[in-house]
Amino acid sequence: MAVGLGPLPTLHPVPGFELGIASAGIKRPGRKDVVVMRCAEGSTVAGVFTLNAFCAAPVILAKQRAQGAVRYLLTNTGNANAGTGEPGMQAAIRSCASLAALAGVDADAILPFSTGVIGELLPTEKIEAALPDALADLDENHWAEAATGIMTTDTLPKGASRQFEHNGVTVTVTGISKGAGMIRPNMATMLGYIATDAKVAQPVLQDLLRDAANKSFNRITIDGDTSTNDCCMLIATGKAAVAEITEAAGELFAKLKQAVFEVSMEVAQSIVRDGEGATKFVTVQVNGGRNHQECLDVGYAVAHSPLIKTALFASDPNWGRILAAVGRAGVPELDVSKIDVYLGAVCIASQGGRSPNYTEEQGAAVMAEAEIEIRIELGRGDCSETIWTTDLSHEYVRINAEYRT
């Protein structure tokens, strides 16, 4: 059950960006599992991609084409087309070529994206059969439908939208994402698409997406697994009547950056809230590090610990597990006598041991909540980092044990 995640908010259309959905029946007959997105001519596109060495064929192809004149994004669910070697690459190329022929554009203008089971060849014939319907369905208002179309084990679609005014002109940023398991992004998220009608030079857009991903998608984890198919794209159509952003400076850039960061954060946290089998949404806040990396090392040691995650599921304030994770995070010369650990507002450990005022009842009350903060004060410096994660439940095991059945 998704934690604190309800129906989609209003997803404002982005002028110059259309979305169409169709059914190819890749994994289940009748399932809307093919999404085509059309970018207005002249759009700039930025992307961040998985660092998994076994990255899928569509990832390789999308990375090669992303800085060109992109016109269409083609997404399928139900099949990752990863671990498929050269036949998988040829399948990705063929799907793009089929869409290009129907749309009347060059094949290099098509970026492919796939998500689903690893190790199975992409059923290109099914995708090709669905393309005419997807093209006929293209509409700037189909963000919600596309958010549903890209889902795999997600229980709810995920999206966010922001608008701001600049010199009397409304500028829009809207995004959707999918992901619920195999989540520890090492660049972006499982799949994410964000579009704006601002006009942005490609190098500026690329840096903006990288910065946004590093503070949102790259700070979430459900199970510590980095997917072979992670991709996140940021498209700027240039249809808003505002000046082109050619550098990371000025009022317009600051407004756009805030909107992109907010959309990225909202959809990234939605992935955690909808984590497979999740019953808790957990914020791990690490303060007082000498550098950002040691804060991240401590945060991920806590967020990835199966013992902590199962204690969270059981609402058991077994605070010793948190201390053990902090201690094994690999921080050099860590002085445990300076560390304080909190569950919510409750100090559970200080100066290397149990806080003298802590009671088990206080800890149990915090752990019973659906949204929990674990805060660790290292007392070493001024750096901080935040990571979002989930508990580990029976349902997570069931979902992944039965994923291919």
Side-chain angles (χ1 to χ4, degrees):
M1 179 178 179
V3 183
L5 185 63
L8 282 170
T10 298
L11 299 179
H12 302 290
V14 176
F17 193 77
E18 301 166 285
L19 309 94
I21 305 89
S23 173
I26 293 172
K27 195 172 180 180
R28 190 171 70 246
R31 164 86 159 83
K32 293 291 184 72
D33 51 9
V34 170
V35 178
V36 171
M37 304 176 189
R38 179 163 62 192
C39 313
E41 192 169 0
S43 298
T44 51
V45 175
V48 284
F49 303 89
T50 182
L51 297 181
N52 192 309
F54 262 107
C55 63
V59 174
I60 296 171
L61 203 56
K63 286 176 68 176
Q64 293 172 351
R65 297 175 172 179
Q67 293 190 26
V70 177
R71 293 299 313 282
Y72 288 85
L73 286 68
L74 170 60
T75 303
N76 73 270
T77 67
N79 184 296
N81 196 14
T84 49
E86 182 58 26
M89 178 58 70
Q90 291 306 312
I93 291 171
R94 175 179 162 181
S95 296
C96 290
S98 297
L99 176 56
L102 289 170
V105 300
D106 190 88
D108 286 343
I110 312 291
L111 304 187
F113 305 88
S114 298
T115 180
V117 177
I118 295 171
E120 298 180 0
L121 190 61
L122 190 70
T124 52
E125 296 85 356
K126 290 184 176 182
I127 293 173
E128 288 170 335
L131 291 177
D133 287 344
L135 287 171
D137 192 56
L138 285 168
D139 194 293
E140 291 179 355
N141 293 290
H142 282 178
W143 282 95
E145 291 83 353
T148 300
I150 63 175
M151 290 167 53
T152 50
T153 59
D154 311 59
T155 67
L156 290 171
K158 303 163 181 67
S161 195
R162 297 290 188 277
Q163 290 184 317
F164 62 87
E165 298 289 321
H166 184 75
N167 293 339
V169 176
T170 299
V171 179
T172 301
V173 178
T174 297
I176 57 175
S177 68
K178 62 81 53 185
M182 196 180 277
I183 297 292
R184 187 201 172 175
N186 199 5
M187 42 46 66
T189 178
M190 286 290 288
L191 289 179
Y193 307 96
I194 304 170
T196 178
D197 54 347
K199 187 174 181 61
V200 189
Q202 202 282 330
V204 178
L205 195 71
Q206 185 65 50
D207 288 345
L208 175 57
L209 177 59
R210 186 178 295 112
D211 291 346
N214 279 337
K215 288 299 182 183
S216 57
F217 300 119
N218 278 349
R219 297 294 182 266
I220 64 173
T221 181
I222 291 173
D223 45 26
D225 273 310
T226 295
S227 170
T228 55
N229 291 63
D230 287 350
C231 298
C232 184
M233 309 304 296
L234 176 59
I235 300 96
T237 68
K239 292 300 182 180
V242 293
E244 181 179 12
I245 299 173
T246 58
E247 60 179 345
E251 181 184 356
L252 177 56
F253 174 78
K255 290 177 179 178
L256 179 64
K257 179 179 179 179
Q258 180 178 344
V260 170
F261 271 51
E262 288 180 1
V263 168
S264 300
M265 185 70 73
E266 188 169 335
V267 294
Q269 290 189 4
S270 294
I271 291 172
V272 177
R273 293 183 181 279
D274 195 28
E276 290 173 345
T279 69
K280 305 287 176 68
F281 177 81
V282 185
T283 300
V284 182
Q285 175 76 45
V286 183
N287 301 323
R290 287 180 184 169
N291 55 62
H292 290 281
Q293 189 57 54
E294 67 181 31
C295 293
L296 289 173
D297 290 344
V298 169
Y300 277 120
V302 172
H304 288 153
S305 167
L307 292 177
I308 293 174
K309 292 168 84 70
T310 50
L312 287 162
F313 173 62
S315 299
D316 176 14
N318 192 341
W319 54 270
R321 294 180 176 182
I322 301 175
L323 297 192
V326 173
R328 66 172 170 78
V331 176
E333 300 175 354
L334 186 64
D335 185 350
V336 299
S337 69
K338 295 182 178 180
I339 296 177
D340 294 333
V341 180
Y342 292 80
L343 277 177
V346 177
C347 182
I348 59 175
S350 63
Q351 298 181 344
R354 179 180 181 137
S355 176
N357 297 321
Y358 172 72
T359 66
E360 191 79 355
E361 290 74 20
Q362 290 175 320
V366 176
M367 293 289 269
E369 299 292 327
E371 302 198 18
I372 299 168
E373 181 185 71
I374 299 172
R375 179 162 57 91
I376 300 149
E377 301 286 346
L378 297 178
R380 293 163 56 86
D382 299 323
C383 292
S384 298
E385 286 287 352
T386 305
I387 292 167
W388 296 275
T389 190
T390 65
D391 56 341
L392 180 60
S393 69
H394 304 296
E395 184 67 6
Y396 176 88
V397 177
R398 186 196 65 77
I399 290 169
N400 285 283
E402 299 176 357
Y403 184 58
R404 297 206 305 164
T405 59

